[in-house]
Amino acid sequence: ELKVEQNPLFLSMQEGKNYTIYCNYSTTSDRLYWYRQDPGKSLESLFVLLSNGAVKQEGRLMASLDTKARLSTLHITAAVHDLSATYFCAVGGYTGANSKLTFGKGITLSVRP
Amino acid sequence: GAGVSQTPSNKVTEKGKYVELRCDPISGHTALYWYRQSLGQGPEFLIYFQGTGAADDSGLPNDRFFAVRPEGSVSTLKIQRTERGDSAVYLCASRDAGSDTQYFGPGTRLTVL
């Protein structure tokens, strides 16, 4: 059974500092996804990582993938309040039944002044 | 362009009643997914449609749950004899052929009293 684990589950961040959060998964998957969810809202796609060593950056967020370690990291540079949200990672394949996503429990980030 | 829409946004029903939840995917998206998100958890896969057919319904919890997509666009998730444990946010997502990303709708919050 495919399992996706995220840690920590909650992270209080200080504005301006850097942080890294982690996503581990139990079996080989084609793709690793990061989504953001604001309270009471739906999921917003952030990144899709396709291959070992893939790195993608958008603003203060940078995601990377190590398929051998089955690990993805999301690095936050100089945290700002707007980044406060819950971040989910998910794994899935590309086509057919494999394309369903298996999500972790999410990491709630809170940025304090 | 228009995103994934779901109706109703909120549904309150009594135990034992029948409910229907509707999803309008992004126009032209051939793949459609239903997920269920309980409080404090990541979304859990329910069913996947490719076109009109259910390609994978392995996530449906029991035979009280059923979904259709008769014309390959709008989908309806149907729950019979609702139970309090069915209370959750039901999310719909769609994906274009050849794309990696699933785009999520705002969800329907179902409360079973």
Side-chain angles (χ1 to χ4, degrees), chain A residues 74-102:
Chain A
L74 184 65
H75 186 74
I76 300 144
T77 301
V80 293
H81 179 72
D82 284 352
L83 292 179
S84 297
T86 298
Y87 293 80
F88 291 95
C89 68
V91 295
Y94 178 51
T95 60
N98 290 331
S99 63
K100 65 187 177 192
L101 297 181
T102 301

Side-chain angles (χ1 to χ4, degrees), chain A residues 31 33 35 37 40-45 47-48 50 86 88 93-106, chain B residues 6 33 35 37 40-45 48 55-56 58 91-92 95 97-107 109:
Chain A
R31 277 130 175 84
Y33 301 78
Y35 282 88
Q37 186 175 42
K41 304 292 185 182
S42 192
L43 287 86
E44 173 191 356
S45 176
F47 303 107
V48 182
L50 305 182
T86 298
F88 291 95
Y94 178 51
T95 60
N98 290 331
S99 63
K100 65 187 177 192
L101 297 181
T102 301
F103 285 83
K105 289 190 174 182
Chain B
Q6 293 185 246
Y33 306 79
Y35 295 85
Q37 186 175 23
Q41 303 294 318
E44 293 180 317
F45 169 77
Y48 156 57
D56 181 358
S58 62
L91 295 167
C92 175
R95 179 175 62 85
S99 169
D100 295 299
T101 302
Q102 293 183 25
Y103 295 91
F104 282 80
R109 181 175 298 278

Side-chain angles (χ1 to χ4, degrees), chain B residues 27-41:
Chain B
S27 178
H29 282 197
T30 55
L32 185 147
Y33 306 79
W34 284 98
Y35 295 85
R36 179 168 72 172
Q37 186 175 23
S38 300
L39 193 63
Q41 303 294 318

Side-chain angles (χ1 to χ4, degrees), chain B residues 41-55:
Chain B
Q41 303 294 318
E44 293 180 317
F45 169 77
L46 296 176
I47 187 168
Y48 156 57
F49 287 90
Q50 181 59 46
T52 60

Side-chain angles (χ1 to χ4, degrees), chain A residues 62-76:
Chain A
M62 183 174 70
S64 63
L65 179 62
D66 180 345
T67 58
K68 294 179 182 177
R70 298 186 192 131
L71 171 70
S72 179
T73 61
L74 184 65
H75 186 74
I76 300 144

Side-chain angles (χ1 to χ4, degrees), chain B residues 32-99:
Chain B
L32 185 147
Y33 306 79
W34 284 98
Y35 295 85
R36 179 168 72 172
Q37 186 175 23
S38 300
L39 193 63
Q41 303 294 318
E44 293 180 317
F45 169 77
L46 296 176
I47 187 168
Y48 156 57
F49 287 90
Q50 181 59 46
T52 60
D56 181 358
D57 64 358
S58 62
L60 295 178
N62 52 60
D63 61 6
R64 295 186 298 106
F65 288 75
F66 188 70
V68 295
R69 194 186 185 199
E71 297 179 357
S73 178
V74 170
S75 176
T76 304
L77 179 65
K78 308 180 181 193
I79 311 173
Q80 298 178 328
R81 305 182 305 280
T82 51
E83 299 177 358
R84 292 193 180 89
D86 298 335
S87 297
V89 176
Y90 288 80
L91 295 167
C92 175
S94 71
R95 179 175 62 85
D96 193 12
S99 169

